[in-house]
């Protein structure tokens, strides 16, 4: 498991992907920061972090698209699947590598709260809860992206599937408004954003944390299933 | 070491592998021979646990590949048709990763790594990125990967594909050398490879076993006559007369007209009789000189074609 994590993690940083993504992400986020906080003369980070999670919609699929798809395309999948490592370990290893890249990207954005701390007196607890929310949100997106990547050997297709699924998750609250009664409740309950907004307002709710982590677990499980399914396929 | 029983794999209605059974003993090199699409790769993928079988069992070192995959896989080194290489790694990094993946202890790996790299002769490229290596070297790195952890069983899917003739000979030597300590199953559609390397051959066609035997026995079994082509100067009917009256000649055919009164003939004769000497004497007496004589042995190729086109003799062990 850790062998795979280490290898994948390195490979993201051996290619330009991680650097380009982190650079671009920082570039865009700094615009938001400038706009909201510098011009708005505010020290509340939440708005910026909200926007950061929105741009994740575009960044995560590109980050995750190669994770499983590339192994299939290059035939290295055979190496992994015929090694004594279990499929679950393979998938978790790949997930952790992606999370590593994501966390490093997040680490870079900490420069913004740092600026706030130096030049103002922001609510540190709020920043903490917002970041926690952001990381959990990212964790869910990465698991969705990983799953999308396991469905195909074409990276572009993986990215598109990933983006559409993430967007659906993102917009599910909006979809809920088309329904009433039970379906409305289901969609609202599924909505990541509702829970995410709690974090943005400084509420750390254990159920939300569990909810997000279960989401991750479900998608990792699905990824394992999809990968195993191929072995058992009869057609 | 490897036991395969009634292995079947179905894809929809197509039976890619149909009720295959054989065993491979420790230290044996088994050749797996068949035309494209015969089910060689499918069988190998099942043996290594990459795909599952529809029915039947595979046991590696006594461990079932489906029931106890992690244990069984520890005993296997697999080189698939396309070597599973990470192009963005150096040879060193890649082999270290493989050792990690197969949970070879770092102490063990330290002593092993050098040997493996020397064995497949990749020490001098160990710091290069795999994507920059030639096809032959990539194949060797793939082979090195299979050797990591010194598994008991090596499964090699067309290990010499894409190599130049010199490399092919080297790899074959290597496989032979490895066969002393490992059980090897190798697939190929190159027949000389089988006679050069393997102790035993399984010929597979349309998912079924057409024959299992040593390469020598297979040749003997099917080639019960000798055959050669001869070009003779002289009128066709007279020469034909002489040739067909020779003791042991079973078949005669005019294959080509070379010049005026120069024809080449194909002769098949009993294997135990050498017809060449009496033929020479007879023709010389009549003043018809032999211009060319060459023997056309029934090659493994032809045996193979016979077996896979007629599925004639089913030789079970």
């Amino acid at each position: 498991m850790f062998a795979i994590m280490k290898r994948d993690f390195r490979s993201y940083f051996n290619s330009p992907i991680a650097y380009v993504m982190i650079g671009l992400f920082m570039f865009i986020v700094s615009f938001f920061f400038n706009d909201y906080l510098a011009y708005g003369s505010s020290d509340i980070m939440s708005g910026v972090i909200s926007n950061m999670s929105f741009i994740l919609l575009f960044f995560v699929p590109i980050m995750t698209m190669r994770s499983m798809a590339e192994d299939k395309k290059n035939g290295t999948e055979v190496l992994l699947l015929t090694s004594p490592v279990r499929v679950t370990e393979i998938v978790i290893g790949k997930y952790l590598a992606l999370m590593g890249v994501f966390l490093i990207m997040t680490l870079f954005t900490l420069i913004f709260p740092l600026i706030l701390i130096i030049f103002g007196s922001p609510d540190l607890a709020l920043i903490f809860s917002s970041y926690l929310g952001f990381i959990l949100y990212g964790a869910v997106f990465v698991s969705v992206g990983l799953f999308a990547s396991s469905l195909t050997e074409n990276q572009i297709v993986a990215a598109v599937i990933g983006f559409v699924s993430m967007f659906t998750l993102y917009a599910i609250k909006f979809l809920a408004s088309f329904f009433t009664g039970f379906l409305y409740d289901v969609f609202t309950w599924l909505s990541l954003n509702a829970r995410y907004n709690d974090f943005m307002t400084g509420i750390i709710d254990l159920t939300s944390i569990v909810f997000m982590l279960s989401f991750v677990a479900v998608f990792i499980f699905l990824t394992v299933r999809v990968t195993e399914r191929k072995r058992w396929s009869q057609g | 070491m490897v036991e395969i029983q009634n292995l079947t794999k179905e894809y929809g209605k197509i039976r890619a592998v149909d009720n295959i059974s054989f065993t491979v003993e420790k230290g044996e090199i088994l050749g797996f021979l068949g035309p494209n699409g015969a089910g060689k790769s499918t069988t190998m993928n099942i043996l290594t646990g990459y795909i599952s079988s529809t029915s039947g069992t595979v046991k590696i070192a006594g461990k079932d590949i489906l029931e106890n995959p992690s244990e069984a896989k520890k005993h296997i080194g697999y080189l698939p048709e396309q070597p599973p290489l990470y192009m963005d790694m150096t040879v060193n990094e890649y082999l270290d990763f493989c050792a990690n993946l197969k949970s070879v202890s770092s102490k063990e790996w330290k002593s092993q790594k050098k040997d493996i790299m020397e064995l497949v002769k990749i020490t001098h490229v160990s710091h290069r990125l795999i994507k920059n290596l030639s096809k032959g070297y990539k194949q060797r790195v793939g082979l090195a990967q299979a050797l990591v952890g010194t598994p008991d069983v090596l499964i090699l899917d067309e290990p010499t594909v894409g190599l130049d003739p010199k490399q092919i000979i080297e790899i074959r030597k290597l496989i032979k050398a490895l066969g002393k300590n490992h059980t090897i199953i190798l697939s190929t559609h190159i027949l000389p490879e089988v006679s050069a390397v393997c102790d035993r051959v399984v010929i597979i066609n349309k998912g079924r076993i057409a024959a299992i035997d040593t390469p020598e026995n297979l040749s003997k079994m099917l080639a019960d006559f000798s055959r050669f082509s001869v070009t003779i100067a002289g009128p066709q009917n007279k020469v034909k007369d002489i040739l067909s009256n020779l003791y042991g000649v079973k078949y005669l055919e005019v294959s080509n007209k070379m010049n005026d009164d120069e024809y080449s003939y194909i002769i098949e004769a009993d294997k135990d009789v050498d017809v060449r000497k009496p033929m020479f004497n007879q023709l010389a007496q009549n003043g018809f000189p032999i211009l060319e004589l060459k023997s056309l042995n029934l090659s493994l190729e032809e045996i193979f074609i016979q077996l896979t086109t007629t599925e004639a003799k089913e030789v079970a062990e």
Side-chain angles (χ1 to χ4, degrees), chain B residues 35-84:
Chain B
N36 293 324
K40 295 188 302 266
S41 291
T42 308
T43 309
M44 296 198 135
N45 280 334
I46 295 172
L47 290 187
T48 53
Y50 179 51
I51 56 175
S52 70
S53 55
T54 307
S55 65
T57 56
V58 173
K59 276 188 186 163
I60 312 281
K63 310 215 164 65
D64 193 295
I65 192 81
L66 284 182
E67 281 164 17
N68 201 349
S70 301
E71 278 302 310
K73 283 174 184 172
K74 273 183 194 157
H75 295 276
I76 303 176
Y78 182 32
L79 172 64
E81 210 169 344
Q82 184 194 3

Side-chain angles (χ1 to χ4, degrees), chain B residues 286-299:
Chain B
N286 288 281
F288 305 137
I290 294 176
L291 303 176
E292 192 189 355
L293 174 65
K294 83 184 163 209
S295 104
L296 305 170
N297 267 328
L298 190 62
S299 62

Side-chain angles (χ1 to χ4, degrees), chain A residues 85-99:
Chain A
V85 182
R86 283 180 300 147
V87 179
T88 315
E89 293 176 275
I90 297 173
V91 172
I92 292 177
K94 290 194 160 286
Y95 179 74
L96 291 179
L98 286 168
M99 278 312 283

